[in-house]
Amino acid sequence: MMNQSEIPVVPMPTILIVDDSLSYLAALLDRLERHGFMIVLAQTAAEGLMRAEFAEPDLILLDVVMPGIDGFEACRRLKACKATKDIPVIFMTGLTDPKQKVTGFDAGGVDYITKPFQIEEVLARINTHLALRRANRELQDMIATLDKARADLVRNERLAGLGAMVAGIAHELNTPIGNSLMASTTFEMQTDDITQHLTREGGISRKEFESYIQNAQLSVDILSRNLHRAADIVTNFKQVAVDQTSSQRRSFLLAEVVAGNVLTLQPTIKRTPFVIQQRIPPDLMMESYPGPIGQVISNLINNAILHGYEGRGDGLIDISASLSPQGLVTLSVEDHGVGIKKDYLSRIFDPFFTTKLGVGGSGLGLNIVHNIVTEILGGTIDVVSETGGGTRFTLTLPMLAPTR
């Protein structure tokens, strides 16, 4: 049982009444305060506009016929102001012309109370619109919470992708660094050996020295090739990581971005029997967001491996692109796997839709892809699939992405 200090305090709804008639103001003030409302009064539209912005009422009762600014114009100004645009406005009027009511609704009003009014009707309309506003606020809060949850899930998905990328670079660097270490160790042993020969009586022969020089050249060649390979890998992974974490807009060759992102997936792909084929014009230049494009490519490749070729012993993932005369880039990722059931096609971009629930599928991969393509890259994504006949995802992107 809650004690007195734990009982939540619910603030009284605030109602702003704007009317040039003192008798109406007094009557409404008395009746509404008895029913637990906090009342703010104004006798002119100008005064009402000022008090609406200052008091932030939950609802406004606004007389239509007033000197100077009438109620319709006052309502238009309320709806044009960011601080007051969401406050419901109920007009109070003695006018019965239907055209006047239409004018009021066009101005942004939500309801009418006809003078002389019955307090029961006034209370009913006030309570109805206050309840609607509370429900609308709760809905907005829920939408904001869902948006934050989605953003958190997308961020976690991106962090998981970066974790895989770190594992990938470690795996890719293992071979060139291992080769370099082997070459340097061998060269060190050969150098120690030749040094001992130099210090012994008689020195070294020409043949021994030539052999040492040949081994030195071979070691240097191995070190140079493998260290350059390691440097290229680090440069590529660094660019991909910067693109994916910053989502910066820049000019780039699409073929290079796709190849770089495919390279980050190599540790995963090497453990599968699948081959990735890239057919992208080498001179296709875009001014867009390479990080999000790379994330889309990675998600679609992973989707093909996880779903498209499930249960298959081999397969090809084909990535192709072309440029239309209208300046639109068509980028496709196609597999020849099991395909997607017809009943699923309309739902695959929905959040949390997955056929792998409980076995590693989050249902967010293709939803993230759809959001990136439409919201960041300014394009569209379509899917064509046939059960047993493979799947092709096609992105249609502007060469010049919209500015975010």
Side-chain angles (χ1 to χ4, degrees):
M1 183 176 179
M2 291 190 299
N3 58 40
Q4 193 69 26
S5 62
E6 294 175 331
I7 297 175
V9 178
V10 179
M12 292 187 296
T14 300
I15 298 176
L16 169 63
I17 305 174
V18 185
D19 197 314
D20 61 339
S21 170
L22 284 173
S23 60
Y24 274 114
L25 287 176
L28 285 171
L29 173 63
D30 179 59
R31 297 292 187 86
L32 294 180
E33 281 190 335
R34 290 184 193 177
H35 286 84
F37 296 108
M38 181 174 289
I39 306 301
V40 178
L41 302 177
Q43 283 190 271
T44 66
E47 184 183 3
L49 291 171
M50 179 186 67
R51 297 204 171 195
E53 193 165 353
F54 178 77
E56 297 182 350
D58 297 290
L59 184 141
I60 299 174
L61 296 178
L62 180 60
D63 189 22
V64 171
V65 181
M66 289 184 290
I69 304 172
D70 67 11
F72 296 144
E73 177 59 25
C75 187
R76 292 187 191 98
R77 296 187 187 186
L78 287 168
K79 297 305 171 183
C81 177
K82 184 178 180 181
T84 58
K85 66 183 181 67
D86 294 325
I87 302 173
V89 174
I90 298 178
F91 287 112
M92 299 184 297
T93 180
L95 302 174
T96 57
D97 185 354
K99 291 182 180 179
Q100 294 287 340
K101 291 190 175 183
V102 172
T103 302
F105 288 128
D106 287 342
V110 297
D111 208 342
Y112 267 88
I113 295 173
T114 303
K115 295 179 179 179
F117 54 79
Q118 296 292 325
I119 191 61
E120 292 77 11
E121 180 188 2
V122 174
L123 287 170
R125 293 180 185 273
I126 287 175
N127 287 325
T128 295
H129 290 289
L130 286 177
L132 286 173
R133 193 179 191 209
R134 281 195 300 271
N136 187 50
R137 282 176 169 172
E138 290 171 0
L139 181 59
Q140 289 177 344
D141 290 343
M142 186 181 298
I143 291 172
T145 301
L146 289 173
D147 283 343
K148 183 179 182 302
R150 189 182 74 164
D152 290 342
L153 288 169
V154 171
R155 185 161 48 252
N156 291 340
E157 190 100 349
R158 179 175 293 179
L159 289 173
L162 288 175
M165 191 182 300
V166 171
I169 190 173
H171 186 277
E172 287 296 300
L173 287 173
N174 186 58
T175 298
I177 290 177
N179 290 341
S180 299
L181 183 61
M182 179 192 67
S184 65
T185 302
T186 302
F187 186 50
E188 182 182 26
M189 292 172 59
Q190 291 168 345
T191 301
D192 289 342
D193 189 50
I194 201 74
T195 301
Q196 291 177 8
H197 284 194
L198 282 170
T199 57
R200 73 185 180 186
E201 187 178 345
I204 60 172
S205 65
R206 181 183 181 87
K207 184 177 180 180
E208 287 174 329
F209 185 70
E210 289 176 347
S211 176
Y212 173 75
I213 293 298
Q214 288 176 353
N215 288 330
Q217 291 173 337
L218 178 61
S219 297
V220 169
D221 180 59
I222 293 173
L223 282 168
S224 177
R225 282 189 289 108
N226 281 277
L227 290 176
H228 275 101
R229 170 64 177 159
D232 289 343
I233 291 172
V234 170
T235 300
N236 175 75
F237 276 81
K238 180 181 177 182
Q239 184 62 66
V240 172
V242 168
D243 284 339
Q244 291 198 4
T245 53
S246 65
S247 294
Q248 291 297 311
R249 177 187 177 126
R250 66 179 175 89
S251 297
F252 58 89
L253 292 169
L254 180 60
E256 290 185 357
V257 166
V258 172
N261 280 273
V262 170
L263 181 60
T264 67
L265 297 172
Q266 283 301 319
T268 300
I269 298 168
K270 284 178 180 178
R271 295 193 294 269
T272 71
F274 310 121
V275 176
I276 295 180
Q277 173 180 277
Q278 300 171 63
R279 296 183 294 116
I280 300 175
D283 58 347
L284 205 170
M285 178 76 74
M286 297 182 70
E287 173 79 20
S288 188
Y289 301 93
I293 288 178
Q295 191 175 0
V296 167
I297 293 295
S298 298
N299 280 18
L300 291 179
I301 291 174
N302 285 327
N303 186 74
I305 293 173
L306 180 64
H307 298 281
Y309 286 122
E310 184 180 18
R312 300 288 182 95
D314 55 30
L316 174 70
I317 300 171
D318 182 52
I319 306 173
S320 61
S322 62
L323 179 64
S324 74
Q326 293 77 30
L328 293 175
V329 175
T330 300
L331 178 61
S332 297
V333 178
E334 183 176 5
D335 66 66
H336 305 285
V338 298
I340 302 171
K341 293 180 180 179
K342 186 177 180 180
D343 294 344
Y344 294 163
L345 277 177
S346 62
R347 302 170 57 198
I348 58 172
F349 295 120
D350 293 348
F352 306 112
F353 175 75
T354 178
T355 59
K356 299 287 185 183
L357 190 63
V359 289
S362 67
L364 286 171
L366 290 180
N367 178 252
I368 290 172
V369 165
H370 183 272
N371 290 340
I372 289 174
V373 171
T374 57
E375 296 176 13
I376 298 178
L377 303 177
T380 60
I381 181 169
D382 299 301
V383 58
V384 176
S385 186
E386 185 178 327
T387 303
T391 302
R392 181 175 69 251
F393 289 93
T394 301
L395 284 62
T396 304
L397 308 172
M399 287 183 66
L400 186 64
T403 302
R404 295 172 61 190

